[in-house]
Amino acid sequence: MGNTSDRVSGERHGAKAHRSDSSGSHKDQEPSSKMVDSTDDPNIFNTHGPESKALEEKESDLIEQMNTGPQARPTVIRWAGGGKEVYIAGSFNNWSTKIPLNKSHNDFVAILDLPEGEHQYKFFVDGQWVHDPSEAVVTSQLGTINNLIQVKKSDFEVFDALHVDSLECSDTSDLSSSPPGPYGQEQYSFRPEEHFKAPPILPPHLLQVILNKDTNISCDPALLPEPNHVMLNHLYALSIKVGSLESAEILLTCFQMLLVPHEIHFST
Amino acid sequence: MMMMSCFLLPVCAAAEESERDIYMRFMKCHKCYDIIPTSSKLVVFDTTLQVKKAFFALVANGVRAAPLWESKTQIFVGMLTITDFINILTRYYKSPMVQIYELEEHKIETWRGTHCVFITPPPLPSIFEAVHSLIKNKIHRLPVIDPVSGNALYILTHKRILKFLQLFVCEMPMPAFMKQTLEDLAVGTYANIAYIHPDTPLITALCVFTHRRVSALPVVDHNGNRVVDIYSKFDVINLAAEKTYNNLDVTVTQALRHRSQYFEGVMKCNKLETLETIVVRIVKAEVHRLVVVDEESRIVGIVSLSDILQALVLTPDQD
């Protein structure tokens, strides 16, 4: 348990360290064994010196990034090519550090703040530099093949809220455990004098939308994997790009299918 | 995962007569609900969506039909399918040089206003009634609407129904007519088959779809009418995927180039094969029809899922 949280917090710090780098305020990773996260009770922050400082800085970074330019967009980077340890580096961090990706169910994910524009990047998988053949590539000046990503402001107008939440969340591979935070027996009492800067964290389960997951090519393309029951009966709204069209509004909902046969009665 | 419903066979003397309509009784016993998958996706379009975006959305989401929702009246008013795409193209295509204005600018409601007839899905307590509705109206997609919430749940197809039946076939006594040949049972179409050639221009093929109301065209060569390929309605949506719908003067062969790598060949059969063999083959191949050919691979007829379901479920007592 202790080891897990160390590894997890280390990986998360990796992702976060990059964010701090991009704003230039923090160089080294904080040595911390506790899962640092925003909670409902701000008093938690004050009892841990270095972490609270890190958090306050992180919060102000966040606000800074939201309010001023150059607009950096939280971008999901996914590696589905297998491997044990996957890192990414790119033109966005001048190829200076390797950012670890977090292991999810069958792939590795990282969410990076990328400013608008074109970025080259490459994956470092189990000691080897490789590119993702399924994504756009470009040949660099040195003759190597790197992946290319275009970050546009229009891609993320509504995603912003979701991605900000996902940055705050714990890694998505640990869905079975309780979200981090203080647990106790006293009921939560609202203190109106407290000012919360951000809404509560979105549970990581809700980020795993199955609606566009790939399924086996041999079966009916409309079939989907069976969902985690906590994902049902939620309404998701997205504004996404479909091919070369301007953003089309697509509303996604998850219905609960009744798991026992029942009669559908018709009033005629 | 299929839900196992209780299906009790009447335990009477196993006369062949009582087995003839066994599949019909099976279908009457099961509800449409039993056939809906545990987890699947459904795409619904608002009728004010642009028709071009709608077709791109079908491709992007990997579905081939979508129920249409009219916000003003708060009801489902129809379905948008690849047939609509084909009909727009055949009606308004002029030349590769001219954009198809109606495709580029119309909304779904504009297109539907002039052309479409919605077959209201009747309340569907049993799969038998679904089969009856599909075959009687000569349609391939039937939306299942939950009457309590008014939500669309699933789009039912012949393929899904036959696959469901096939799962339970070994648990039922097989009627004698399953061992009879296609020829004896007269299952399939053997006269006036609609077909095309490898060099047929795409626009001609699309017009045949519209006028003959068929869902696939066998491609036969010029010497002997040997079946070399098949062009189905499903292949047409590739024009939207690759955005090549503005040049319909290309040949069918060129249009089919996109699938040459993984295409397993035209699924064929012979009219001397038994209905049982045909059902197994068509379900395994996951296609909607088999082309009936002779020993030289020359086209003789077509047998489709509609023909098979009609024979198994609707009219099993025909000889």
Side-chain angles (χ1 to χ4, degrees), chain B residues 67-123:
Chain B
L68 300 173
W69 175 257
E70 188 173 81
S71 261
K72 256 190 306 220
T73 50
Q74 292 281 300
I75 49 164
F76 285 104
V77 292
M79 296 266 289
L80 190 77
T81 67
I82 298 180
T83 307
D84 291 291
F85 186 52
I86 294 176
N87 291 344
I88 292 184
L89 291 177
T90 54
R91 197 172 169 92
Y92 299 115
Y93 175 73
K94 301 271 182 312
S95 88
M97 305 302 169
V98 181
Q99 266 204 336
I100 308 172
Y101 170 82
E102 289 78 7
L103 181 59
E104 303 290 330
E105 303 300 325
H106 274 188
K107 295 192 177 150
I108 295 179
E109 57 190 6
T110 335
W111 159 245
R112 277 183 44 82
T114 45
H115 300 284
C116 299
V117 175
F118 181 45
I119 290 153
T120 325

Side-chain angles (χ1 to χ4, degrees), chain A residues 210-212 218 220-227 242 244-246 255 257-266 268, chain B residues 3 31 33 36-41 52-53 56-57 60-62 123-125 145-147 151 154 160 243 286:
Chain A
I210 59 167
L211 284 165
N212 289 317
S218 67
D220 186 347
L223 289 182
L224 290 177
E226 210 165 296
V242 178
S244 63
L245 307 169
E246 330 80 67
F255 284 114
M257 292 301 287
L258 298 161
L259 295 180
V260 289
H262 85 146
E263 299 279 304
I264 297 181
H265 293 286
F266 298 84
T268 28
Chain B
M3 295 306 300
K31 312 288 187 207
Y33 182 81
I36 297 177
T38 315
S39 181
S40 70
K41 70 179 167 187
K52 180 171 118 167
K53 284 192 191 182
F56 285 165
N61 287 288
L124 297 171
I145 313 274
D146 177 17
N151 290 320
Y154 186 64
R160 183 85 184 170
K243 300 196 182 56
E286 296 190 301

Side-chain angles (χ1 to χ4, degrees), chain B residues 122-167:
Chain B
L124 297 171
S126 74
I127 305 180
F128 174 81
E129 276 154 273
V131 173
H132 189 258
S133 189
L134 284 168
I135 292 182
K136 185 183 88 164
N137 296 302
K138 292 186 71 155
I139 53 177
H140 285 189
R141 306 211 184 256
L142 197 63
V144 178
I145 313 274
D146 177 17
V148 172
S149 61
N151 290 320
L153 295 180
Y154 186 64
I155 298 177
L156 208 47
T157 60
H158 296 94
K159 206 180 276 186
R160 183 85 184 170
I161 293 172
L162 191 63
K163 192 166 179 183
F164 182 72
L165 176 63
Q166 180 69 350
L167 287 178

